[in-house]
Amino acid sequence: MTLLAGISRSLRKYLLNTESIMLICFCVVVYYYIFHGTAFWTFLERLRIKLELKVTGRYDRIPVTGDKEITSERSKASWELRKDNVGVYAIQGRRPYMEDRFNVVTDLERTKASIYGIFDGHGGEFAADFTEKTLFKTVMVRLLKSALVEEKLNMSQMLSEEILTVDDQLLSIERATGELSGTTALVALLHDDMLTVANVGDSRGVMCAKDGNTVPLSFDHKPQNSKERKRIKKAGGFISFSGVWRVAGILATSRALGDFSLKERNLVIAEPDILTFDLKEADPSFLILATDGLWDTFSNDEAVAFIKDRLDEPHYGAKSLVLQAYYRGSLDNITVMVVNLRNRTAVKVQRKGSLA
Ligand SMILES: *[C@@H]1O[C@H](CO)[C@@H](O)[C@H](O)[C@H]1NC(C)=O
Ligand SMILES: *[C@@H]1O[C@H](CO)[C@@H](O)[C@H](O)[C@H]1NC(C)=O
Ligand SMILES: *[C@@H]1O[C@H](CO)[C@@H](O)[C@H](O)[C@H]1NC(C)=O
């Protein structure tokens, strides 16, 4: 009793006087200023991130903008994605498991960059799965980080570094677990009217540029290419022909992420080739990114001509192109991604207008 009475007496004494009430009001105002005054909040967040970067040397809070393929059920025969200006269609073809992966991030918050990636696995799904997830994450983090601290990124260098880092991580997992799978990687990064395309392996990108010209976005890493053949020979390896040319009689692509056993002997490397395109100059109407399952049955020109007539279809023609490759007898898993850029400038103007 005496305790309660004591508490209530001191409450009255210390809380219900003018000074305390004013202090409480002040705190409430500051609270609302911080949490509802955007400018102040942004400033504070930037400060916090800078601090976090300084202290820990990294920043890895991931925005939830990545769009996963619809499902990863093994029993499924096809996968599709339609989002903004991107259409993807993938089929398992005549193989027992689907080992292709893809991912798309459009207009990443704060950066307005878009990332498109296709990963063609072999020897199991693990490498393609790991690379798709990890690489998209780390590239998003690098883009966000540079936007937040207002640092200018060299996109080619950034993609190259991240691909090699993911390969290192993948290899150390493979070393520890005896996993042997590998994957190609084809990643296109759209940023400030520039397109940066990194390629490891034999997936391929093309674009339909101004006046309908076909422009390759990447060049396949095949064992029989003279540059690759020389490199493999120099590393003490060989290539041989069984159906297609193969590294050490095993692998039909000369570069890949993972592939622990071949990489140990340096026969396969993950070094990406990177090309950069000025979109103001090229003014493309669309891009096609696809796994080798498509390119076994379509030339670059044929694929571009095919999509040009079908850009008004729901998947911007990606589905028709996959099915056509299948009918032509492609035995592989086939993934085709079409990025429709016909309204690129119109979309930009609209966005500016809606902001104002
Ligand atoms: C398709 O899947 C099969 C079986 O899992 C695999 O051996 C093959 O390498 C895959 N093809 C591609 C291009 O990923
Ligand atoms: C970006 O880095 C690459 C090396 O990775 C270099 O060749 C290129 O000149 C750099 N570009 C710019 C604009 O600094
Ligand atoms: C893109 O532009 C064309 C012609 O300029 C127009 O007919 C079409 O509706 C536009 N599509 C979208 C998705 O805005």
Side-chain angles (χ1 to χ4, degrees):
M1 262 320 177
T2 46
L3 184 67
L4 267 183
I7 290 176
S8 85
R9 199 178 322 120
S10 50
L11 265 182
R12 234 171 313 168
K13 186 167 171 203
Y14 292 116
L15 271 183
L16 293 183
N17 58 42
T18 340
E19 287 95 323
S20 302
I21 289 173
M22 276 174 70
L23 188 69
I24 289 168
C25 288
F26 180 72
C27 287
V28 168
V29 167
V30 168
Y31 174 88
Y32 274 95
Y33 192 71
I34 290 176
F35 288 98
H36 299 275
T38 1
F40 186 69
W41 179 234
T42 308
F43 165 78
L44 217 72
E45 193 189 30
R46 188 162 282 173
L47 204 72
R48 185 187 61 72
I49 288 162
K50 273 188 183 163
L51 225 106
E52 189 175 328
L53 276 173
K54 200 158 224 146
V55 173
T56 64
R58 67 208 184 91
Y59 172 65
D60 46 14
R61 234 166 24 121
I62 310 302
V64 201
T65 30
D67 273 276
K68 289 297 315 121
E69 50 210 283
I70 308 306
T71 166
S72 54
E73 285 169 57
R74 280 190 161 182
S75 57
K76 269 198 83 161
S78 70
W79 290 257
E80 57 187 298
L81 175 77
R82 289 174 48 195
K83 196 203 171 203
D84 301 341
N85 62 335
V86 188
V88 189
Y89 201 79
I91 59 166
Q92 193 173 309
R94 299 174 176 88
R95 305 275 187 129
Y97 294 113
M98 182 60 173
E99 297 177 349
D100 291 1
R101 290 289 184 276
F102 60 83
N103 203 344
V104 173
V105 171
T106 48
D107 287 335
L108 179 64
E109 57 165 322
R110 290 169 203 274
T111 68
K112 292 287 163 264
S114 297
I115 318 167
Y116 313 98
I118 280 192
F119 307 89
D120 180 357
H122 47 257
E125 301 165 289
F126 178 77
D129 215 32
F130 178 85
T131 304
E132 178 254 294
K133 292 201 175 77
T134 317
L135 190 63
F136 263 73
K137 187 173 129 171
T138 54
V139 168
M140 281 195 280
V141 168
R142 288 287 295 269
L143 290 171
L144 276 174
K145 194 162 125 178
S146 78
L148 284 165
V149 302
E150 285 162 356
E151 150 216 26
K152 191 145 174 52
L153 257 189
N154 179 333
M155 296 298 168
S156 321
Q157 194 187 344
M158 183 272 285
L159 280 180
S160 176
E161 283 169 8
E162 293 308 325
I163 285 172
L164 292 174
T165 306
V166 169
D167 184 51
D168 273 345
Q169 293 169 347
L170 180 57
L171 287 175
S172 64
I173 294 173
E174 295 199 342
R175 193 174 296 120
T177 59
E179 170 76 40
L180 292 173
S181 60
T183 183
T184 70
L186 177 64
V187 180
L189 180 63
L190 194 65
H191 193 273
D192 293 338
D193 286 322
M194 293 300 285
L195 180 70
T196 310
V197 182
N199 180 48
V200 183
D202 58 2
S203 295
R204 191 189 307 159
V206 298
M207 73 176 157
C208 176
K210 209 158 42 187
D211 308 324
N213 288 330
T214 304
V215 176
L217 298 178
S218 68
F219 295 92
D220 306 352
H221 294 132
K222 294 282 194 192
Q224 68 270 29
N225 296 354
S226 70
K227 190 175 162 202
E228 297 295 291
R229 202 176 51 216
K230 276 186 202 139
R231 182 182 59 72
I232 293 163
K233 252 206 183 116
K234 211 169 152 199
F238 67 94
I239 67 172
S240 67
F241 192 85
S242 62
V244 293
W245 285 100
R246 290 170 192 278
V247 180
I250 303 171
L251 192 59
T253 174
S254 54
R255 299 198 193 185
L257 286 88
D259 283 304
F260 177 58
S261 61
L262 291 169
K263 202 158 283 163
E264 271 237 296
R265 294 186 280 151
N266 247 329
L267 302 185
V268 166
I269 59 173
E271 194 81 44
D273 274 332
I274 302 199
L275 296 177
T276 306
F277 304 86
D278 183 345
L279 294 191
K280 282 198 296 277
E281 205 174 284
D283 192 23
S285 47
F286 59 87
L287 318 176
I288 307 173
L289 307 182
T291 56
D292 64 330
L294 172 73
W295 306 114
D296 290 344
T297 53
F298 269 87
S299 71
N300 291 1
D301 284 327
E302 277 179 304
V304 165
F306 190 92
I307 293 295
K308 211 187 286 174
D309 294 337
R310 291 172 179 76
L311 212 51
D312 293 322
E313 289 182 6
H315 299 82
Y316 304 120
K319 182 173 179 176
S320 301
L321 187 52
V322 167
L323 296 179
Q324 190 59 33
Y326 183 77
Y327 297 141
R328 287 188 184 184
S330 175
L331 297 176
D332 227 333
N333 312 316
I334 310 170
T335 299
V336 171
M337 180 181 292
V338 175
V339 182
N340 183 355
L341 298 176
R342 212 167 34 180
N343 289 4
R344 193 171 60 95
T345 35
V347 168
K348 245 190 200 152
V349 170
Q350 249 175 28
R351 194 179 288 133
K352 268 193 194 130
S354 70
L355 273 180

